Amino acid sequence: MFAISLGDDNAELRPLEIWQDEEFLAHMDRARELVDPWIPFASFATDRESARALLRRYAEKQAADTGRLYGIWLDGTLVGGVLFRIFDTASGNCEIGVWLEPAAQGRGLITRAAERLIDWAVYERGMHRVEWDASAANTKSIAVAKRLGMTRDGVIRQNYLYRGVRHDSEVWSVLAPEWRARAGR
């Protein structure tokens, strides 16, 4: 297994795999209240079996080269994650998703982890467009998109149904030439 350092604060990005279902479930239990209103990810992992099923789904996506899932560990504890929800090599488009439990907020972990994923998507895999979808009410997620140098493409009105209420989504993106220019490459 590999780990990618996210800085000098003992934070790491690692693949999140099926055999880590108990650790993943414990993390989701800690993160659920914060994560669930914005993405249904936490709702999909409510017991060991469902946590394992979610991890299996992403293992299958990785095997098919259509998605990937990584955990963020801080001081050896799983505290969040980043994923390619969509990874379409034929079109050169992908979508990143992120989450973090409350105890790990305010350290820049999501921004640093997303930068690593975008670097890999653009420089290693040749992706042209990296997309970020967020609830219009999720100001923290939108702030990360801005920190990543993404452009707001628009608002999709009332497209997200959550507990019987429709919410707007904002679509943000960065194109490969923009990402390369940001890094001076």
Side-chain angles (χ1 to χ4, degrees):
M1 182 161 92
F2 71 87
I4 298 171
S5 173
L6 293 177
D8 58 6
D9 58 356
N10 208 21
E12 295 179 324
L13 185 65
R14 302 183 211 157
L16 194 47
E17 301 179 14
I18 296 170
W19 60 270
Q20 296 166 308
D21 57 336
E22 287 186 78
E23 184 177 16
F24 178 66
L25 179 59
H27 158 62
M28 280 289 104
D29 288 343
R30 293 188 304 270
R32 192 172 321 283
E33 188 175 318
L34 180 67
V35 173
D36 194 50
W38 309 120
I39 57 173
F41 202 73
S43 298
F44 297 147
T46 57
D47 56 28
R48 190 165 180 200
E49 183 179 325
S50 59
R52 193 168 182 80
L54 190 149
L55 294 173
R56 183 178 301 108
R57 188 169 74 232
Y58 272 90
E60 290 167 357
K61 285 180 121 186
Q62 182 167 335
D65 201 24
T66 60
R68 294 179 185 277
L69 177 62
Y70 300 94
I72 299 171
W73 276 262
L74 183 62
D75 296 320
T77 300
L78 179 61
V79 296
V82 291
L83 58 84
F84 287 112
R85 192 180 77 79
I86 297 168
F87 198 82
D88 184 347
T89 58
S91 69
N93 297 329
C94 60
E95 179 191 330
I96 290 181
V98 301
W99 74 93
L100 196 64
E101 63 185 62
Q105 287 188 323
R107 301 168 186 249
L109 295 172
I110 290 295
T111 302
R112 289 183 275 157
E115 286 171 338
R116 301 311 188 282
L117 260 65
I118 297 170
D119 279 348
W120 182 80
V122 169
Y123 296 117
E124 299 296 323
R125 297 304 307 279
M127 293 304 230
H128 178 72
R129 175 185 168 86
V130 179
E131 194 168 289
W132 185 281
D133 291 357
S135 166
N138 191 345
T139 57
K140 290 181 180 184
S141 183
I142 291 167
V144 174
K146 290 176 181 178
R147 281 194 297 277
L148 292 169
M150 292 184 159
T151 298
R152 182 175 174 238
D153 294 330
V155 175
I156 304 173
R157 297 178 307 142
Q158 297 187 4
N159 76 313
Y160 182 77
L161 183 63
Y162 176 73
R163 296 188 179 177
V165 178
R166 293 218 161 260
H167 299 268
D168 294 348
S169 292
E170 290 193 14
V171 178
W172 292 74
S173 68
V174 64
L175 305 178
E178 296 165 343
W179 190 254
R180 287 187 193 101
R182 179 181 186 259
R185 293 187 191 182

